[in-house]
Amino acid sequence: NPFSTLGIRHDIVNAITELGFENPTPIQEQSIPVLLSGSNDFVGLAQTGTGKTAAFGLPLLELVNENNRATQALVIAPTRELSVQITNDLERFSTSFKKLNIVTVYGGASIRDQIMKVKRGAQIIVATPGRLMDLLSRKVVDLSTIKYIVLDEADEMLNMGFKEDIDEILSTTPEEKNVWLFSATMPREVREISKNYMRNPQELTMGERNQGNENIDHQYIVVDERDKYSALKRFVDYTPD
């Protein structure tokens, strides 16, 4: 399996082989060897659907010590759907890890259940910014042992108004850590995060910077606020597939 040539250990390669992964995508091929070193801050610019979760997830599994119950890695994503997807992928990649605990925390679900899971010990936490801030204020999550932080879909998080939360979260993490930032675009706000919280990051751009994926067609319509839901229903009815 070509993934083994990137430096990934055999049990993880076997797991992804069983999942049908045969060849790494360009961003996986370029970023995995860099991230496996565990010594670089990293900026990866690539569109959604290019395999970013495996690009950061596989090195993360290599670098985290499952025998240490402390929280070592934090993945921050803009939505609960993406957080759950990332966690599911990491769990599928790590079937041979018997002591690894990956916990997802996000709003709209029982915070009590999430607190219980975190308190049992979580080497990797996947979180949305708002719920993570809530758990930090309750002193449930301890970020003092964090070694790796992944900001996934960073531009989307900033578009959704999470800049202050991201700043607060990053400011409470140890000075000695690696920050891996993945984004489809590189607006000024994302560049500021790179300048403020990363040290000489290695930057990788796949495709044209700030350009949408070619197979996505964008359409929009201007409506009054009260008509948004009705307009969306019209679009869905018109395109049932």
Side-chain angles (χ1 to χ4, degrees):
N1 190 305
F3 278 95
S4 61
T5 65
L6 302 180
I8 301 169
R9 69 193 214 201
H10 290 300
D11 55 344
I12 298 178
V13 172
N14 290 339
I16 61 179
T17 300
E18 290 180 7
L19 292 170
F21 284 71
E22 296 181 356
N23 295 291
T25 66
I27 192 167
Q28 293 166 2
E29 189 172 24
Q30 296 293 320
S31 61
I32 286 174
V34 176
L35 299 180
L36 278 175
S37 71
S39 59
N40 289 88
D41 285 351
F42 181 83
V43 174
L45 299 177
Q47 302 304 318
T48 300
T50 52
K52 285 184 286 185
T53 302
F56 66 75
L58 299 178
L60 211 56
L61 293 172
E62 287 270 1
L63 296 167
V64 165
N65 179 5
E66 66 172 320
N67 294 311
N68 180 354
R69 301 287 286 175
T71 301
Q72 302 158 52
L74 173 65
V75 181
I76 307 176
T79 65
R80 62 180 288 174
E81 291 81 9
L82 182 56
S83 298
V84 170
Q85 176 192 318
I86 291 169
T87 300
N88 288 341
D89 285 345
L90 291 178
E91 288 176 343
R92 292 192 304 159
F93 300 156
S94 61
T95 52
S96 63
F97 292 65
K98 304 307 179 186
K99 300 178 183 177
L100 183 66
N101 193 20
I102 305 169
V103 173
T104 323
V105 297
Y106 52 82
S110 169
I111 192 169
R112 183 179 301 174
D113 290 347
Q114 294 175 2
I115 289 173
M116 289 176 59
K117 291 178 181 178
V118 171
K119 285 186 173 180
R120 289 192 197 113
Q123 291 94 341
I124 301 175
I125 292 178
V126 183
T128 55
R131 178 51 60 93
L132 180 59
M133 288 289 291
D134 197 349
L135 294 178
L136 287 172
S137 69
R138 296 169 186 244
K139 302 190 184 306
V140 173
V141 173
D142 178 12
L143 298 184
S144 66
T145 54
I146 289 290
K147 296 181 179 179
Y148 308 98
I149 294 183
V150 181
L151 301 176
D152 194 20
E153 305 285 2
D155 50 354
E156 283 301 312
M157 280 196 282
L158 297 180
N159 287 340
M160 294 169 69
F162 288 126
K163 185 179 187 306
E164 290 185 2
D165 289 351
I166 298 298
D167 285 335
E168 177 68 22
I169 292 164
L170 291 175
S171 67
T172 60
T173 55
E175 188 72 25
E176 294 299 318
K177 63 179 179 297
N178 288 136
V179 180
W180 304 343
L181 186 153
F182 287 82
S183 185
T185 61
M186 194 66 162
R188 176 177 55 82
E189 295 83 359
V190 175
R191 180 64 70 184
E192 285 180 2
I193 289 179
S194 173
K195 288 181 179 179
N196 293 337
Y197 299 104
M198 304 173 79
R199 293 167 295 183
N200 301 317
Q202 184 161 340
E203 188 170 314
L204 173 66
T205 302
M206 307 305 298
E208 294 295 325
R209 178 178 292 188
N210 293 341
Q211 179 178 319
N213 224 352
E214 291 183 358
N215 63 350
I216 298 175
D217 177 38
H218 296 270
Q219 300 180 31
Y220 73 92
I221 183 169
V222 179
V223 298
D224 288 333
E225 176 80 20
R226 64 179 182 274
D227 296 325
K228 284 169 62 177
Y229 182 58
S230 297
L232 177 60
K233 285 172 65 178
R234 294 282 182 88
F235 272 114
V236 174
D237 288 342
Y238 186 70
T239 54
D241 292 337

